Amino acid sequence: MKSDVEELMPRLLPVEFGASGEELDLKGPPRNPREYLRQVQLEASQCPEVVVAQIDPKKLKKKQTINASVAGCHAAPVGFCPSLSWQQHQVSNFSDVRQSIAKNRNHWSSNTLDDNVEMPDITDEEGWKKFCFGETLYLGTSSSRTEAAEAEPALDHSKVGFPPFLTIVSRLNQSTVLMVLETLVGWFEENDFAPQLGRWLYALLACLEKPLLPEAHSCIRQLARRCAQLRSALETEEDDKLPALNLLVCLVARYFEQSDLADQPE
């Protein structure tokens, strides 16, 4: 008797399943196409019509859905919030930068890197931190010494890090862009803002393609919240970090359309 499935789904390659089929060796390879189809028939006939999964409830308790945080940013202190016109201007400039990078990516990526530029492997998170920040910042030396090193005529990039030159960032595919961005944002969660960090974050955001992947969406929101957190702890509007922190919050909220994180000028 044919099964219900066979009634609803007629066989496209009908093969007679004779008595000799019972003698087939399911463990051995089929010797011809007909024998292969007969093996498949025999295996299917031995499968139960209904299968019940044996689930261990204890294992499920360890794999429950994680509720992702969708909390907004710390509100900017009075006098620290940028105007709407400033935010719109920054978004316009940022859009121009992104278009320029996209247009000239092939040109810049084909340029030969300097001999001292050795880009880390995509999986080398610590290597990327050293590459972007330099040993001075990566090892926790004060920012004042870092800035002094940057002012020297002959830069030692192993100490102060490599800036995000177009010849470098144009070589990064989207997987690498996101990986480096996540690495730097993770470092930022536990450290203070630094100029090297700001330059790289801006450059990576400029290379981040839309529409965003879920991982990128989460990462840039984490970045905006961290910037707003540090901004709320600043003591004066004259702090050198304020424009950079405002800029990163603005780009995440206004350009990448995370509107719930946007600064709302009074």
Side-chain angles (χ1 to χ4, degrees):
M1 180 181 293
K2 294 183 178 180
S3 67
D4 294 339
V5 175
E6 289 177 323
E7 291 290 346
L8 294 173
M9 301 175 63
R11 285 181 268 178
L12 297 179
L13 296 172
V15 177
E16 292 300 326
F17 185 65
S20 60
E22 299 175 356
E23 300 175 359
L24 289 176
D25 182 10
L26 295 180
K27 297 182 180 179
R31 292 168 293 183
N32 52 62
R34 182 181 180 83
E35 192 168 291
Y36 167 75
L37 293 174
R38 290 174 63 191
Q39 282 187 347
V40 172
Q41 269 189 327
L42 183 57
E43 289 178 350
S45 67
Q46 295 175 350
C47 293
E49 293 187 4
V50 178
V51 179
V52 179
Q54 300 298 324
I55 300 175
D56 185 356
K58 294 181 180 179
K59 294 183 179 180
L60 291 179
K61 291 182 179 180
K62 299 180 181 179
K63 298 182 179 181
Q64 296 299 312
T65 302
I66 299 175
N67 294 323
S69 173
V70 293
C73 289
H74 285 76
V78 176
F80 286 51
C81 180
S83 66
L84 182 58
S85 61
W86 182 90
Q87 295 182 59
Q88 293 171 338
H89 180 67
Q90 300 306 321
V91 168
S92 176
N93 286 345
F94 183 68
S95 179
D96 292 341
V97 170
R98 285 173 60 91
Q99 291 179 20
S100 178
I101 291 176
K103 180 179 179 180
N104 299 291
R105 178 178 295 276
N106 292 336
H107 167 72
W108 287 110
S109 62
S110 64
N111 285 6
T112 304
L113 294 173
D114 293 339
D115 294 337
N116 64 333
V117 180
E118 186 174 348
M119 297 174 63
D121 185 76
I122 185 174
T123 59
D124 186 4
E125 294 186 3
E126 299 305 313
W128 276 105
K129 293 175 188 176
K130 293 179 182 179
F131 183 82
C132 298
F133 300 150
E135 295 178 359
T136 305
L137 178 61
Y138 176 74
L139 297 177
T141 308
S142 65
S143 59
S144 59
R145 288 184 59 183
T146 301
E147 292 169 0
E150 290 179 339
E152 295 177 0
L155 291 179
D156 183 354
H157 289 295
S158 66
K159 298 293 184 182
V160 301
F162 286 91
F165 296 125
L166 288 173
T167 51
I168 294 177
V169 297
S170 295
R171 283 175 160 78
L172 306 181
N173 59 30
Q174 283 302 292
S175 296
T176 307
V177 169
L178 181 55
M179 188 284 298
V180 178
L181 183 61
E182 290 177 334
T183 298
L184 300 190
V185 171
W187 181 90
F188 187 31
E189 283 288 324
E190 301 177 357
N191 296 274
D192 201 356
F193 184 83
Q196 298 99 311
L197 173 66
R199 288 192 288 266
W200 269 98
L201 291 175
Y202 187 93
L204 292 170
L205 290 176
C207 295
L208 191 62
E209 294 180 357
K210 297 172 68 174
L212 297 178
L213 295 173
E215 297 85 350
H217 178 274
S218 175
C219 181
I220 65 172
R221 289 182 64 87
Q222 181 183 356
L223 168 61
R225 287 194 293 266
R226 176 57 175 163
C227 289
Q229 179 187 22
L230 288 184
R231 180 180 61 183
S232 66
L234 298 180
E235 297 180 354
T236 172
E237 302 173 32
E238 304 301 321
D239 195 301
D240 292 339
K241 301 174 186 176
L242 180 59
L245 296 176
N246 279 340
L247 175 59
L248 291 172
V249 173
C250 169
L251 296 181
V252 171
R254 301 288 182 180
Y255 184 85
F256 290 101
E257 300 173 327
Q258 306 301 306
S259 56
D260 61 306
L261 305 180
D263 289 319
Q264 303 295 339
E266 295 182 0

